[in-house]
Amino acid sequence: MGFIDDKEVEAPFVGDPMDRIDGRLKVTGTATYSAEYQLPEMAHAVLIGSTVAKGRIKSMDTKQAERAPGVLAVISHLNSPKVPGHINRDHPAEPPKIGQPLRVFYDDKIYFNDQPVAVVVADTLERARYAAGLIQVKYKEEPHQTDFNQNKQKADLPTQAKRNPKSGLADYTRGKEDAYATEAIKMEAEYVQPTEVHNPMELQAVIAHWEAPDRLTLYDKTQGVKSTQKTFAEEWNIPVENVKVVATFVGGAFGNALHNWPHETAAIIAAKKVNRPVKLMLTREQMFTMVGYRPHTWQKVGMSASADGQLTGITHEAIGQTSSYEEFTESTLQQSRMMYTCPNVTTRYRILPLDISTPIWMRGPGEATGAFALESALDEMAHQLKIDPLAFRLHNLPDKDPQNGKPWSTNYLRECMEMGAERIGWQERKMQPGSNREGEWLVGFGMGAGTFGANRRGAKAYAKLQPNGTILIQSATTDIGPGTGTAMVQIAADALGVQPDKIRFELGNSAFPDSPKQGGSSTINSVGSAVRAACLELKQKLQQLAAARSGTAFSAAKPEDISIADGSITLAGNRSASITYADLLKQNQGQDIEVLTTSEPGQEREKYSMYSFSVHFAKVHVHPVTGQVLVQKVVCCADAGTIINTKTAGNQMIGGAVGGIGMALVEDAVLDHRFGRYVTKDFASYHVPVHADIPPVEVAFVNKPDMIVDPIGTKGLGEIAIIGVAPAIANAVFNATGKRIRELPITPDKLV
Ligand code: MOS
């Protein structure tokens, strides 16, 4: 509740489709991304990647490159400054243990094709690139394994699951193990999700600047300035406060900037070596090999149901690939354990190390892959039962979490399904596949649901009332594109009761108060709560200062009665009570009127099951002769609690739908196993949807607050925007054609 112009108004800015506060900066090119900072004496670095997938570097001839014009250094394992974090601290004489990020330039070992083996630093980018072409590397090749199918039998439990059988990655059985197998009505199928690559528009880039031998500044594309600060403080064994990380603008990431990668260390090494700031920006080709991807995943679902459509058994198994030197895992099977009522559920998750680089979370990590299998299997089961797949799902929605028996904090998946069905025109769907035509096109309808944990982590925010009556708020969160800053201003405007243009929100700098990295759909829940708490605390401070200075009217007031006006604070309902900012400052001994507030989740996390939910409906056309799939319409409905900004949240849902359409129809990173190298390494060969592939996407929100997850009622939106989209398309293709495609992407050759 806030007070605007002496009028009492209920949450007047939360829920608004407010324009992005940084929209103008972005569209006019004035927003500064990490590669765009200009530092005096800045040098440029170009990475050289290995051309074999496994083996050792036999020799490296850098003489010509070193003599090339403008070259300042050529750095490899032969001459790299030692990185303290690369040493095995327990046993300094031994090599570092496996199971940790790649140590760039540590030794001669090659773990994947295009692994950085050297970096050239020169006074200009062009000279660095030219010199990079002069370096001759010879390898002692060893046989590599990059073929998932040929190595599948080597898949194993993740270490975390071996150590802790209660881990979410460990094998799970509720009721009878593999119960579906002995049931009368059952299905069993295998599903394959190929490797996908994030490929945000902005390339990964970093400028490393050693301001002193133990003081490092990084302008870095990252989703976490604090996590990056910690990573490199540890890597270089310097105090955390000596590392400064700036990421004011991030041009998309989708998860690939949640991890720190070898190119960042390479730039820091280079800056150390040449004693100048060094800029390193990956090429688009390197974006396919050096900064993670959604791992190729094989899945198998067995499912059984009673004739009247009650689920009786689900067994869901998955194998995801990882690298040989680092274990990557994701929660591929989580939703099979909790989305639907089912007495007997078994899940088994394995990882398969291959001679490739490490995967990383990619939008809807795990769940987006898992939902393709689970939601396709539900469609297959419904078809076998001759039950409408929407009715089948509605029939099996649980009223509490079936995995642990806890109540949902909120769960409006049923509402999502009902509102989506109406908007797509589900009643036009024909039960018999291939029986619906519009002109020469086959018509199909499909749906897929999704869920993701409503995560919340501890976060801090700083708020200061400035002498001109504006409020400065700071948090070390980042904004990778969803419009975080805009949403924070809206939350603050309501908490303070002031107009948004009086608030300045600053982010993307490790000097600001601690915030988690922007990932796992948790920013609004975590940082939004901290911003709100800081604003309320600031008002309380104002009330206390006013009461101490000017007595009765303010002493009796509640903080929420304080109105922050131009030049003074006043009291709602008592306009004569007023005190100027100058007087308040005096009362505060001339100190800034500021607060630093921490907000953390509490006991409620133990008592409730907290998830966001979504459902996606698709209408497709499939050409019976060419196999072309044209998505006609997509409807996305989300239960994400309070929607802070219907415009930016709607944008986020549309973006998720586009990603899901890409996953369903075109995205596929193809390895040439002879070399263990990707052949798809540009947008000519790795396809993403273009405008002509994207139909109207209609977005609808349940928009009911979840006051258990956090005090602003939000649950998180980033992941559920994509989770369930791919199966909705695949199920629509089946409905149109009668062809069940279980290996993505659904390219025309699979349909003719
Ligand atoms: Mo997301 S995969 O949490 O950036």
Side-chain angles (χ1 to χ4, degrees):
M1 184 180 288
F3 297 88
I4 304 295
D5 296 328
D6 275 1
K7 270 204 328 277
E8 191 175 316
V9 265
E10 195 74 35
F13 295 111
V14 163
D16 257 17
M18 203 172 99
D19 285 346
R20 286 165 188 262
I21 54 170
D22 49 6
R24 187 174 292 271
L25 294 177
K26 287 186 171 182
V27 298
T28 55
T30 35
T32 309
Y33 294 84
S34 27
E36 297 178 315
Y37 288 86
Q38 297 301 333
L39 272 56
E41 290 290 292
M42 188 163 67
H44 299 262
V46 168
L47 281 176
I48 294 136
S50 88
T51 53
V52 305
K54 192 175 180 185
R56 286 180 184 274
I57 300 166
K58 200 159 64 184
S59 65
M60 193 179 297
D61 183 352
T62 59
K63 278 190 222 74
Q64 252 192 303
E66 280 159 13
R67 281 198 298 263
V71 169
L72 301 167
V74 179
I75 307 161
S76 70
H77 68 290
L78 297 169
N79 62 345
S80 171
K82 287 285 164 251
V83 181
H86 286 183
I87 312 290
N88 184 335
R89 291 223 178 97
D90 304 331
H91 307 280
E94 293 171 21
K97 289 193 193 73
I98 226 72
Q100 290 176 353
L102 183 87
R103 290 153 161 84
V104 67
F105 312 147
Y106 177 79
D107 59 16
D108 60 356
K109 275 192 86 174
I110 301 299
Y111 297 92
F112 62 92
N113 205 317
D114 212 22
Q115 172 184 322
V117 293
V119 64
V120 180
V121 193
D123 55 356
T124 71
L125 175 62
E126 291 72 17
R127 286 170 146 184
R129 197 182 288 146
Y130 172 74
L134 301 174
I135 293 175
Q136 302 283 331
V137 190
K138 292 208 169 68
Y139 299 93
K140 187 178 176 304
E141 237 184 302
E142 291 165 28
H144 60 260
Q145 301 297 333
T146 55
D147 190 327
F148 186 98
N149 292 330
Q150 278 186 11
N151 292 280
K152 219 171 104 203
Q153 75 287 351
K154 294 183 205 154
D156 196 6
L157 269 178
T159 305
Q160 189 191 322
K162 285 182 188 161
R163 288 194 187 135
N164 176 13
K166 290 215 165 82
S167 148
L169 300 172
D171 289 359
Y172 170 87
T173 287
R174 162 166 96 236
K176 185 176 158 210
E177 191 173 7
D178 296 325
Y180 84 95
T182 50
E183 291 289 314
I185 307 174
K186 61 170 183 256
M187 61 73 64
E188 195 182 275
E190 295 180 20
Y191 303 87
V192 174
Q193 153 75 59
T195 294
E196 286 178 1
V197 186
H198 309 68
N199 269 311
M201 203 186 294
E202 183 202 16
L203 302 164
Q204 236 84 359
V206 58
I207 296 170
H209 183 198
W210 287 97
E211 312 218 21
D214 64 346
R215 292 182 65 83
L216 176 65
T217 296
L218 298 172
Y219 301 86
D220 193 13
K221 173 169 184 153
T222 175
Q223 291 175 245
V225 286
K226 283 287 187 184
S227 57
T228 298
Q229 178 191 40
K230 183 162 173 280
T231 296
F232 292 115
E234 280 172 10
E235 191 180 79
W236 291 89
N237 198 22
I238 53 179
V240 144
E241 60 276 14
N242 285 15
V243 180
K244 182 176 163 192
V245 181
V246 179
T248 312
F249 290 95
V250 178
F254 310 114
N256 80 351
L258 285 169
H259 194 22
N260 292 112
W261 299 103
H263 74 273
E264 292 165 282
T265 300
I268 299 169
I269 288 174
K272 184 121 228 163
K273 184 97 174 173
V274 302
N275 200 24
R276 284 166 67 165
V278 168
K279 181 198 289 191
L280 194 161
M281 181 166 76
L282 296 190
T283 62
R284 183 56 71 183
E285 180 172 345
Q286 289 169 336
M287 294 289 288
F288 284 84
T289 54
M290 293 188 188
V291 285
Y293 52 88
R294 190 193 298 283
H296 180 113
T297 303
W298 168 92
Q299 300 176 77
K300 183 176 164 189
V301 179
M303 192 179 277
S304 61
S306 60
D308 65 351
Q310 201 72 54
L311 279 169
T312 55
I314 301 173
T315 292
H316 190 168
E317 298 170 272
I319 303 173
Q321 71 184 20
T322 185
S323 65
S324 64
Y325 53 92
E326 192 173 11
E327 278 194 11
F328 173 77
T329 61
E330 52 187 3
S331 55
T332 313
L333 306 176
Q334 175 58 16
Q335 59 212 326
S336 291
R337 298 194 284 262
M338 47 59 72
M339 273 283 269
Y340 300 103
T341 305
C342 185
N344 306 296
V345 174
T346 300
T347 65
R348 298 184 191 96
Y349 179 72
R350 300 288 181 273
I351 49 172
L352 174 61
L354 293 170
D355 297 315
I356 45 172
S357 62
T358 307
I360 194 61
W361 302 292
M362 178 163 155
R363 200 166 195 186
E367 273 84 350
T369 304
F372 167 58
L374 175 67
E375 294 290 313
S376 293
L378 284 163
D379 200 70
E380 299 202 34
M381 194 76 245
H383 179 70
Q384 194 180 321
L385 291 163
K386 296 189 168 54
I387 295 177
D388 177 285
L390 170 62
F392 183 45
R393 286 178 178 83
L394 288 171
H395 194 57
N396 287 284
L397 290 183
D399 54 15
K400 57 180 196 280
D401 186 340
Q403 191 177 354
N404 52 28
K406 290 179 190 174
W408 305 112
S409 55
T410 54
N411 179 343
Y412 299 109
L413 184 54
R414 180 178 300 277
E415 285 82 344
C416 285
M417 288 187 179
E418 285 163 356
M419 65 207 276
E422 193 194 319
R423 283 165 168 81
I424 196 77
W426 191 253
Q427 73 285 352
E428 290 167 35
R429 179 184 183 274
K430 303 259 193 301
M431 282 294 279
Q432 182 60 39
S435 63
N436 195 349
R437 275 179 186 262
E438 282 173 16
E440 58 182 318
W441 294 87
L442 294 163
V443 180
F445 289 85
M447 66 179 291
T451 186
F452 199 81
N455 299 315
R456 181 180 167 199
R457 299 181 180 88
K460 293 187 202 304
Y462 167 84
K464 175 168 115 173
L465 177 68
Q466 315 206 83
N468 64 359
T470 62
I471 291 106
L472 172 70
I473 302 172
Q474 291 174 330
S475 159
T477 185
T478 55
D479 181 354
I480 64 172
T484 302
T486 310
M488 294 304 162
V489 165
Q490 290 175 267
I491 291 166
D494 280 1
L496 292 164
V498 303
Q499 295 289 332
D501 62 3
K502 297 261 192 258
I503 298 165
R504 179 173 172 81
F505 182 76
E506 295 180 342
L507 49 58
N509 191 317
S510 61
F512 297 157
D514 208 352
S515 276
K517 45 190 171 183
Q518 181 158 67
S521 301
S522 60
T523 303
I524 295 282
N525 304 350
S526 312
V527 182
S529 298
V531 164
R532 178 181 177 276
C535 292
L536 296 179
E537 199 182 322
L538 184 68
K539 282 193 98 168
Q540 186 170 20
K541 184 156 190 169
L542 289 172
Q543 182 255 329
Q544 286 164 355
L545 286 172
R549 183 151 187 102
S550 87
T552 50
F554 281 99
S555 339
K558 296 196 202 78
E560 58 264 32
D561 298 330
I562 300 287
S563 189
I564 301 172
D566 281 339
S568 64
I569 61 168
T570 59
L571 267 186
N574 181 3
R575 292 199 80 167
S576 58
S578 159
I579 177 166
T580 66
Y581 295 134
D583 282 344
L584 283 175
L585 272 173
K586 259 186 235 152
Q587 184 59 38
N588 207 32
Q589 278 85 42
Q591 304 288 307
D592 283 339
I593 302 175
E594 61 186 0
V595 294
L596 174 63
T597 310
T598 303
S599 170
E600 277 176 341
Q603 295 282 309
E604 70 283 355
R605 293 250 134 210
E606 304 304 312
K607 294 190 206 131
Y608 294 90
S609 242
M610 305 185 188
Y611 290 91
S612 287
F613 296 94
S614 64
V615 62
H616 309 273
F617 289 87
K619 179 187 179 185
V620 303
H621 276 172
V622 183
H623 199 280
V625 178
T626 65
Q628 187 184 12
V629 178
L630 287 177
V631 184
Q632 296 297 299
K633 185 175 179 179
V634 175
V635 174
C636 305
C637 301
D639 162 25
T642 306
I643 300 303
I644 304 296
N645 181 320
T646 46
K647 183 189 282 178
T648 53
N651 293 165
Q652 215 177 355
M653 291 298 285
I654 293 168
V658 174
I661 290 170
M663 180 186 255
L665 298 180
V666 292
E667 291 194 53
D668 187 5
V670 179
L671 274 165
D672 183 335
H673 296 302
R674 291 172 304 167
F675 311 104
R677 193 174 179 102
Y678 287 103
V679 289
T680 48
K681 51 197 180 189
D682 54 35
F683 290 138
S685 49
Y686 183 89
H687 294 170
V688 293
V690 296
H691 278 94
D693 299 317
I694 301 302
V697 178
E698 190 178 330
V699 177
F701 296 112
V702 176
N703 203 2
K704 288 188 185 159
D706 185 327
M707 301 312 290
I708 295 171
V709 170
D710 66 58
I712 37 181
T714 57
K715 294 206 286 186
L717 194 64
E719 322 300 328
I720 57 164
I722 192 172
I723 300 166
V725 177
I729 308 281
N731 294 339
V733 167
F734 174 76
N735 183 240
T737 62
K739 291 188 176 122
R740 178 67 64 183
I741 310 303
R742 302 188 182 90
E743 177 158 3
L744 297 178
I746 305 170
T747 43
D749 55 295
K750 293 175 182 166
L751 292 170
V752 292

